[in-house]
Amino acid sequence: MTNQIITHTLQFKKPSGTSRGVLTTKRSWYPVVTEAEQVVAIGEASIIDGLSIDPTETLEVEIKRLIGSGLDSSDNYPAAAFSVEMLRKGVETNDLFELWDSPFLRGEEGIAINGLIWMAPKADMIRQVKEKIDQGFRCIKMKIGAIDFEDEIDVLQYVRDLFTVDDIELRVDANGAFRPDEALDNLSRLAQLHIHSIEQPIRAKQWDEMASLCQQSPLPIALDEELIGINGLEEKRRLIQHIQPDYIILKPSLLGGWAASESWMDIADEYNVGYWITSALESNIGLNAIAQWTALQAIQIPQGLGTGGLFTNNVSSPLTIRDGHLWYDRERRWDLSVLSL
């Protein structure tokens, strides 16, 4: 068997806005194991510029080191660690893509997911909302914090004027956009619209301010970026104890993989903190691995796994979205030709 690493730049179908800026491309690194010129296992290190902590200039070196050393984690390279964890699972199962048997993999059950609304001018965000509802989504997650807050409120109000909280669940993701001195007022406004939760209202590494906000907020708060770079059980436990959030968001590509995410789950269960799982702009290779693992977890609320359709040059796969659920369609086939494999 031999190892190599393939790189691929994913192209967004249209610019996708967040409070950290507008995304048009993103890069992924794919470690592969080949035997007799056939790919037998593949992983993906998905890197989001400005969010992932993996230093890209040495990412390939770290992936190769992890493969050669047999190590299971890398504190400063969570995406690299996850790509190798994925690769090893493929070798273990002797299958490129079918990693865990489940009703999801057999095409018998879908995974409920949220419909993601990217930041854009108000009219475009309303158009996105209409599309997601027409597509059967009953949970809508909206990126906020980059345009005028009143316009964002108007978009959310548009949904609430048409649908009750029993019809449509609304989530928002601020990506740390609010200042601590304005956050509570903004959360109070959002709470009037019966929002399920808000992700990362203020930027990470302000533990005291976030703890105070969680204590006072009329709206449930979920930690997202706050978890990145937090390693070791005691450090994870200390964060949860100090901030006491309502939820945490688990992104294997940003946290170091499945095992690292499961350690967060264990601590969350210990402190009665809820959680759900979200992809981090992986191609369908990484999304597939995350979805199959997610299908094994006893999480009943919608997950954040709807990003596979964002790119013009994604890997073709059996993953498909129907009626607000992610499905593994066994009539469809994988095609890695976009990676020149």
Side-chain angles (χ1 to χ4, degrees):
M1 291 189 179
T2 58
N3 301 311
Q4 61 175 314
I5 298 174
I6 306 297
T7 60
H8 183 56
T9 299
L10 293 157
Q11 307 284 336
F12 282 79
K13 291 178 180 177
K14 61 180 181 179
S16 298
T18 76
S19 62
R20 290 188 301 270
V22 177
L23 301 173
T24 57
T25 64
K26 71 157 295 294
R27 294 174 292 172
S28 281
W29 283 252
Y30 302 90
V32 298
V33 173
T34 58
E35 185 173 23
E37 298 185 353
Q38 294 294 316
V39 178
V40 297
I42 188 167
E44 178 176 0
S46 175
I47 300 298
I48 303 175
D49 291 337
L51 183 59
S52 301
I53 63 172
D54 301 61
T56 56
E57 64 274 11
T58 51
L59 184 64
E60 290 193 27
V61 173
E62 183 65 8
I63 292 172
K64 292 175 181 177
R65 186 186 74 84
L66 288 169
I67 293 172
S69 65
L71 293 176
D72 295 325
S73 64
S74 178
D75 287 351
N76 297 319
Y77 292 84
F82 182 39
S83 73
V84 175
E85 186 181 33
M86 201 185 307
L87 188 74
R88 289 178 180 150
K89 185 64 180 177
V91 171
E92 174 192 323
T93 59
N94 195 32
D95 197 295
L96 268 172
F97 306 114
E98 300 191 1
L99 306 178
W100 285 283
D101 183 43
S102 71
F104 169 73
L105 181 63
R106 296 193 296 270
E108 299 165 0
E109 294 180 3
I111 300 172
I113 60 175
N114 61 243
L116 183 59
I117 309 301
W118 293 90
M119 292 178 182
K122 182 170 71 172
D124 186 43
M125 294 180 80
I126 290 176
R127 179 193 57 77
Q128 291 182 61
V129 168
K130 290 178 179 178
E131 287 179 354
K132 296 300 181 185
I133 291 173
D134 288 345
Q135 291 165 5
F137 286 94
R138 290 298 172 261
C139 177
I140 302 294
K141 171 182 164 180
M142 190 172 112
K143 296 276 189 180
I144 64 173
I147 65 173
D148 182 75
F149 185 62
E150 295 304 321
D151 283 349
E152 293 168 345
I153 290 290
D154 286 347
V155 176
L156 294 165
Q157 185 68 61
Y158 166 82
V159 179
R160 273 294 163 255
D161 287 344
L162 295 176
F163 300 97
T164 70
V165 68
D166 293 325
D167 296 324
I168 296 291
E169 178 179 288
L170 282 174
R171 301 174 181 174
V172 294
D173 183 2
N175 289 127
F178 299 153
R179 300 191 313 270
D181 62 352
E182 70 179 358
L184 189 58
D185 286 343
N186 288 350
L187 267 57
S188 297
R189 293 281 307 281
L190 291 166
Q192 295 172 19
L193 297 169
H194 305 289
I195 305 297
H196 171 272
S197 57
I198 181 169
E199 296 179 30
Q200 203 69 42
I202 63 175
R203 58 182 174 77
K205 303 188 186 306
Q206 301 179 93
W207 286 21
D208 290 342
E209 291 85 351
M210 186 70 86
S212 177
L213 199 57
C214 286
Q215 186 176 30
Q216 300 177 70
S217 174
L219 181 65
I221 290 175
L223 302 184
D224 183 359
E225 290 91 337
E226 201 74 67
L227 309 186
I228 300 172
I230 304 297
N231 302 299
L233 289 176
E234 289 311 309
E235 189 176 7
K236 292 175 181 179
R237 185 173 285 108
R238 188 167 65 87
L239 182 145
I240 297 298
Q241 285 177 330
H242 188 87
I243 296 179
Q244 299 182 40
D246 298 283
Y247 298 99
I248 57 174
I249 310 301
L250 303 171
K251 294 178 177 175
S253 287
L254 298 175
L255 301 181
W258 299 310
S261 298
E262 287 169 2
S263 72
W264 278 110
M265 288 181 182
D266 291 342
I267 294 169
D269 288 339
E270 185 180 337
Y271 290 94
N272 198 31
V273 172
Y275 47 82
W276 63 87
I277 298 159
T278 299
S279 53
L281 300 180
E282 297 85 1
S283 73
N284 281 330
I285 291 173
L287 178 60
N288 170 66
I290 294 170
Q292 289 188 38
W293 169 75
T294 300
L296 306 177
Q297 315 305 320
I299 311 173
Q300 302 304 315
I301 61 178
Q303 310 297 298
L305 303 176
T307 57
L310 293 173
F311 309 114
T312 62
N313 58 341
N314 206 341
V315 172
S316 297
S317 81
L319 297 174
T320 186
I321 295 175
R322 298 196 310 269
D323 296 326
H325 289 69
L326 182 68
W327 292 85
Y328 196 93
D329 184 350
R330 302 201 63 85
E331 297 300 314
R332 300 175 64 177
R333 295 291 176 260
W334 285 93
D335 183 356
L336 296 176
S337 59
V338 71
L339 301 182
S340 301
L341 285 172

